[in-house]
Amino acid sequence: MRDICLAQEPERRHPRGTLGPALRLDSGTLSPLLKRLEAAGLVRRERSARDERQVTVSLTGPGRELRRRAAAVPFRIMAATGLDEPELVALHRSLERPTAALDAASGLG
């Protein structure tokens, strides 16, 4: 749940189709996740008035609060690794190529 909240700009409506690639989730995974988040009151899904085939997703008040609280998680993880910032940057860079290859192999890239 945290990933969707962090991927979104809190005051903006996002086309549903842009969330999957941003989160590296296929439609079969994203749809049930969005349903659960909506049932929990964290996101709102709305059909576009201009094109009913298009669905936008936006954070609710509780979703924005969860996003605010979750913003500290990456810093806590960084502290728990014992790595300093240059080491984490190097680790991130070393994982970019295999991540891109996995995305391409799965059809997400």
Side-chain angles (χ1 to χ4, degrees):
M1 285 196 252
R2 179 181 58 84
D3 291 338
I4 286 182
C5 293
L6 290 174
Q8 290 196 1
E9 297 170 39
E11 301 302 325
R12 196 170 151 227
R13 289 183 180 156
H14 296 267
R16 184 197 166 287
T18 64
L19 291 176
L23 298 169
R24 291 189 167 96
L25 298 175
D26 63 26
S27 182
T29 303
L30 182 61
S31 292
L33 177 58
L34 288 174
K35 285 181 183 180
R36 288 194 307 272
L37 291 172
E38 187 173 40
L42 298 172
V43 300
R44 179 176 30 258
R45 293 182 297 163
E46 299 175 88
R47 294 215 174 267
S48 169
R50 290 183 301 195
D51 183 351
E52 289 189 8
R53 296 172 297 171
Q54 299 295 317
V55 175
T56 59
V57 179
S58 58
L59 293 174
T60 62
R64 286 189 296 276
E65 174 58 23
L66 177 60
R67 181 183 191 273
R68 185 192 65 73
R69 290 191 339 253
V73 171
F75 298 104
R76 291 181 185 159
I77 291 171
M78 186 173 95
T81 67
L83 299 174
D84 62 20
E85 187 175 350
E87 291 170 314
L88 285 169
V89 168
L91 176 61
H92 184 267
R93 285 190 180 138
S94 71
L95 294 173
E96 286 176 343
R97 196 170 85 207
T99 299
L102 290 170
D103 286 347
S106 69
L108 293 175

